[in-house]
């Protein structure tokens, strides 16, 4: 029977109602997952030498735990495996749930917690910079050295018959390292920025920074910024063609004088249009103060145990039971200086004499 216009119209609301109910039911079933993914946009500082916290242990080094969308990422692992393990447990973080880890560079204050990570999650993919004869292992073609065909076999490497590829060891031989040789996008919206750096470092060091593409711009996590923080920011902007919403981590301004720091702060704020900055680790006390003055309310406190909530306006959520903080206080300065005197930068910075004052 052909429906008349009235029966057709009367069926329409029923269809809309049934469709609406189905959509609501579908939303209700999927809503917790969707909401969980939407709310998972935060970064927790797991390792550093300053912070207002009663449950985690301060030490020189850096590590951060990133939750964004459906990804769980560990960035660096700190200076001491036992302290790193303690801090991870204190913050209730499950390292077995990681999608991947990133080790920014080879220095011990960023790598030593790998021993704990590999104990609890031995198969996790770890992105690390490739360096010839580097601590993360390496591979070179068997032709990398010059030959002398006139020598007898017992005076030649591999009796004159080297393998096609020579692989070199690592302190973590079982680790699932993926060597990074260039800036690359490893997952949709997740970019590894690879640069060479020498400023204030022992020798040339390759360093990875993590750039996350968010609706508000790039969230850039840096380990030490040995290539200089300006070059890292510039490379991230070029790689993503997006503005920089937040920079978090070590900016390696310890070797800089106040004039240099002021120039760099102004450049980040004005030339590179960095919206928010959350300096940590090797930034240095004078630079903390100058960056806070330069960025004003767009400067974010990132002490140990702090969680930064991402969004159009990045906000700081301190450890449970602790007040939110906007800048370092006397206790932060004391613990930061003590960690520097114990840490790997002691010789570089002149030991206790130079660290005795307010400006290391």
């Amino acid at each position: 029977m052909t429906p008349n216009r009235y029966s057709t119209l009367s069926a329409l609301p029923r269809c809309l109602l049934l469709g609406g109910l189905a959509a609501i039911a579908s939303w209700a079933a999927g809503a917790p997952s969707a909401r969980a993914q939407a709310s998972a946009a935060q970064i927790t500082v797991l390792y550093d030498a300053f912070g207002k916290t009663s449950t985690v242990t301060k030490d020189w080094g850096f590590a951060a735990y990133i939750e964004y969308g459906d990804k769980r990422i560990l960035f660096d692992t700190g200076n001491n495996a036992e302290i790193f393990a303690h801090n991870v447990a204190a913050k209730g973080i499950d390292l077995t749930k990681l999608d991947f880890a990133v080790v920014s560079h080879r220095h011990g204050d960023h790598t030593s917690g790998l021993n704990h990570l590999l104990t609890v999650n031995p198969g996790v993919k770890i992105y690390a910079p490739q360096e010839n004869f580097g601590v993360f292992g390496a591979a070179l073609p068997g032709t990398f050295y010059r030959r002398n065909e006139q020598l007898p076999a017992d005076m030649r490497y591999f009796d004159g018959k080297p393998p096609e590829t020579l692989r070199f060891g690592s302190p973590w031989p079982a680790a699932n390292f993926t060597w990074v040789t260039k800036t690359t996008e490893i997952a949709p919206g997740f970019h590894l920025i690879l640069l060479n750096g020498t400023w204030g470092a022992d020798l040339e060091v390759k360093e990875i920074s993590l750039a996350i593409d968010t609706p508000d711009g790039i969230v850039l996590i840096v380990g030490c910024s040995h290539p200089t923080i300006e070059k890292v920011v510039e490379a991230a902007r070029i790689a993503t063609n997006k503005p920089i919403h937040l920079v978090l981590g070590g900016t390696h301004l310890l070797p800089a004088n106040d004039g240099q720091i002021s120039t760099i702060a102004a450049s980040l704020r004005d030339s590179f249009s960095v919206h928010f900055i959350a300096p940590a680790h090797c930034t240095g006390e004078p630079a903390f103060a100058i960056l806070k003055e330069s960025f004003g309310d767009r400067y974010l406190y990132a002490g140990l145990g702090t969680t930064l909530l991402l969004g159009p306006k990045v906000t700081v959520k301190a450890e449970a039971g602790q007040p939110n903080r906007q800048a370092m206080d006397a206790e932060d300065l004391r613990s930061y200086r003590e960690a520097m005197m114990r840490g790997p930068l002691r010789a570089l910075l002149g030991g206790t004499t130079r660290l005795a004052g307010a400006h290391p």
Side-chain angles (χ1 to χ4, degrees):
M1 182 175 105
T2 304
N4 61 36
R5 59 188 295 187
Y6 300 105
S7 63
T8 302
L9 289 173
S10 64
L12 183 59
R14 288 199 299 274
C15 291
L16 291 173
L17 176 61
L18 291 174
L21 290 173
I24 292 171
S26 174
W27 177 87
S33 175
R35 285 200 298 268
Q37 290 189 15
S39 63
Q42 60 186 36
I43 304 172
T44 300
V45 179
L46 288 178
Y47 212 105
D48 212 325
F50 70 100
K52 284 295 177 185
T53 174
S54 59
T55 60
V56 287
T57 301
K58 300 170 190 173
D59 185 36
W60 187 266
F62 186 69
Y65 177 65
I66 301 150
E67 301 166 83
Y68 189 78
D70 62 349
K71 292 288 187 291
R72 303 295 177 267
I73 305 161
L74 177 67
F75 186 93
D76 283 343
T77 65
N79 186 56
N80 178 287
E82 291 183 0
I83 293 175
F84 176 67
H86 169 80
N87 291 353
V88 167
K91 299 303 293 183
I93 291 168
D94 186 354
L95 295 179
T96 68
K97 305 296 185 183
L98 292 176
D99 290 278
F100 58 88
V102 177
V103 179
S104 63
H105 64 295
R106 65 174 182 251
H107 290 158
D109 52 335
H110 296 257
T111 61
S112 296
L114 279 171
N115 293 321
H116 173 67
L117 172 62
L118 294 172
T119 298
V120 299
N121 193 346
V124 64
K125 179 178 283 191
I126 303 170
Y127 291 97
Q130 183 178 27
E131 296 182 302
N132 294 339
F133 308 101
V135 297
F136 306 114
L140 289 173
T143 56
F144 85 93
Y145 61 88
R146 291 174 58 206
R147 313 294 173 85
N148 186 336
E149 306 288 347
Q150 306 306 314
L151 287 175
D154 63 355
M155 291 183 66
R156 301 190 64 195
Y157 299 126
F158 303 101
D159 297 322
K161 299 176 182 178
E164 183 177 339
T165 300
L166 295 176
R167 302 188 70 86
F168 302 97
S170 165
W172 309 279
N176 181 19
F177 286 124
T178 294
W179 297 325
V180 178
T181 59
K182 62 181 180 180
T183 293
T184 185
E185 186 175 21
I186 56 172
F190 292 83
H191 303 258
L192 298 182
I193 311 299
L194 180 69
L195 293 171
N196 291 340
T198 56
W199 190 44
D202 49 353
L203 296 169
E204 181 175 86
V205 58
K206 292 183 183 295
E207 183 167 344
I208 296 172
S209 302
L210 175 62
I212 304 173
D213 191 350
T214 79
D216 306 300
I218 297 300
V219 171
L220 183 62
I221 299 95
V222 293
C224 258
S225 306
H226 287 299
T228 76
I229 185 60
E230 309 98 294
K231 289 182 179 178
V232 175
V233 167
E234 181 181 28
R237 289 205 314 177
I238 291 172
T240 62
N241 197 29
K242 297 288 182 65
I244 305 299
H245 186 56
L246 167 68
V247 173
L248 180 148
T251 61
H252 215 273
L253 296 176
L254 277 170
N257 60 42
D258 286 1
Q260 290 172 318
I261 296 169
S262 295
T263 299
I264 292 167
S267 177
L268 293 173
R269 184 193 63 211
D270 301 331
S271 300
F272 293 105
S273 300
V274 172
H275 197 190
F276 292 98
I277 193 162
H281 183 42
C282 57
T283 296
E285 295 174 24
F288 286 133
I290 292 170
L291 286 166
K292 185 178 187 306
E293 181 180 1
S294 181
F295 276 81
D297 62 2
R298 294 186 288 125
Y299 175 100
L300 299 165
Y301 179 84
L304 176 62
T306 300
T307 295
L308 281 79
L309 306 176
L310 306 179
K313 179 176 175 57
V314 182
T315 56
V316 174
K317 177 183 177 183
E319 185 185 27
Q322 299 292 332
N324 285 337
R325 306 202 58 82
Q326 299 301 320
M328 297 179 78
D329 64 8
E331 171 59 22
D332 284 322
L333 296 177
R334 183 193 64 77
S335 61
Y336 191 73
R337 292 170 189 168
E338 286 184 356
M340 289 176 69
M341 287 187 285
R342 295 192 306 267
L345 293 178
R346 179 175 183 174
L348 175 66
L349 296 172
T352 56
T353 302
R354 188 171 178 187
L355 291 169
H359 300 285

